[in-house]
């Protein structure tokens, strides 16, 4: 059975968990990776209850040792790898500690490098695969009050683009999905309960997962590097 790795998995109504479930539904065995064991176990239980196969792996995306061990666990049957780690890190530059800026870069960009490197090392041997990165509107433009996050996401996007060009000849499809707007998941709904009354202004998690699947299923004669997803109400 072909395998998929998704790192950056949180609560069930989060993008990481829904990506795991979507790819498990395509009969891939999914390694569900993140930092919180109980959360990962819940996602794995749901996948197994639906007839799929999954394994929880506790891993820190910024740890080289954790990342290498994660891919070693996948073995030679790795078909899909998705980097979904990284939280929004707001703040004015004038008030920002150096460690805060560096942490944003490490989680979003450096972690993406570690993950991408280990993915292509194995996919080159296998003769191909799909490597996808979760982006944001911050990947494309700077915004006041979000300098750390903007620079980290922009760095991840250009890393992904370089990898797409570097490994296409090896049959590796590298893609980047720009999530332009708030996601209608647990994180926003818990922080802003009134958002439940305006779900049509939040991006559907299931819709985003379908964008990832669309890129994965593209034939080699018609690959896209990037897709952007937003609601019909988003001002872009």
């Amino acid at each position: 059975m072909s395998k998929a790795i998704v790192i950056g998995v949180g609560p069930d109504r989060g993008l990481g968990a829904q990506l795991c479930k979507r790819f498990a539904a395509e009969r891939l065995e999914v390694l569900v990776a993140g930092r919180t064991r109980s959360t990962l176990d819940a996602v794995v239980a749901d996948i197994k209850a639906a007839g799929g196969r999954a394994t929880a792996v506790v891993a820190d995306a910024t740890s080289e040792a954790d990342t290498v061990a994660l891919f070693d666990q996948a073995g030679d049957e790795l078909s899909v790898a998705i980097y979904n780690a990284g939280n929004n890190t707001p703040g004015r530059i004038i008030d920002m500690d150096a460690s805060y800026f560096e942490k944003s870069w490490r989680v979003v960009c450096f972690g993406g490098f570690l993950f991408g490197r280990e993915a292509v090392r194995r996919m080159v041997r296998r003769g191909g695969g799909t490597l996808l990165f979760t982006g944001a509107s911050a990947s494309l433009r700077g915004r006041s009050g979000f300098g750390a996050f903007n620079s980290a996401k922009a760095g991840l996007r250009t890393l992904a683009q370089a990898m797409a060009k570097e490994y296409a000849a090896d049959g590796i499809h590298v893609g980047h999905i720009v999530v332009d707007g708030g996601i209608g998941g647990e994180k926003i709904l818990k922080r802003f309960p009134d958002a439940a009354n305006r779900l049509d202004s939040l991006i559907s998690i299931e819709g985003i997962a379908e964008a990832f699947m669309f890129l994965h299923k593209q034939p080699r004669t018609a690959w896209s590097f990037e897709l952007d997803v937003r609601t019909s109400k988003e001002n872009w």
Side-chain angles (χ1 to χ4, degrees), residues 121-205:
R121 281 178 172 174
R122 287 150 180 83
M123 290 176 180
V124 165
R125 293 200 302 262
R126 191 172 190 261
T130 304
L131 171 60
L132 303 175
F133 295 90
T134 301
S137 51
S139 307
L140 305 176
R141 58 185 180 270
R143 179 182 172 192
S144 175
F146 292 88
F149 185 62
N150 291 156
S151 60
K153 276 294 187 183
L156 180 68
R157 179 177 183 265
T158 53
L159 170 68
Q161 191 174 62
M163 295 185 74
K165 297 175 181 180
E166 195 165 310
Y167 296 102
D170 295 296
I172 301 172
H173 184 188
V174 181
H176 181 258
I177 294 84
V178 176
V179 181
D180 187 13
I183 299 174
E186 181 175 321
K187 188 179 295 185
I188 283 183
L189 295 177
K190 183 175 287 187
R191 186 177 177 187
F192 304 104
D194 64 326
N197 299 319
R198 48 182 179 83
L199 286 178
D200 59 346
S201 66
L202 297 173
I203 308 172
S204 159
I205 295 179

Side-chain angles (χ1 to χ4, degrees), residues 103-136:
K103 183 178 180 180
S104 180
W105 169 79
R106 289 186 66 85
V107 173
V108 174
C109 191
F110 177 67
F113 155 72
L114 294 175
F115 188 87
R117 184 193 67 187
E118 294 307 307
V120 297
R121 281 178 172 174
R122 287 150 180 83
M123 290 176 180
V124 165
R125 293 200 302 262
R126 191 172 190 261
T130 304
L131 171 60
L132 303 175
F133 295 90
T134 301

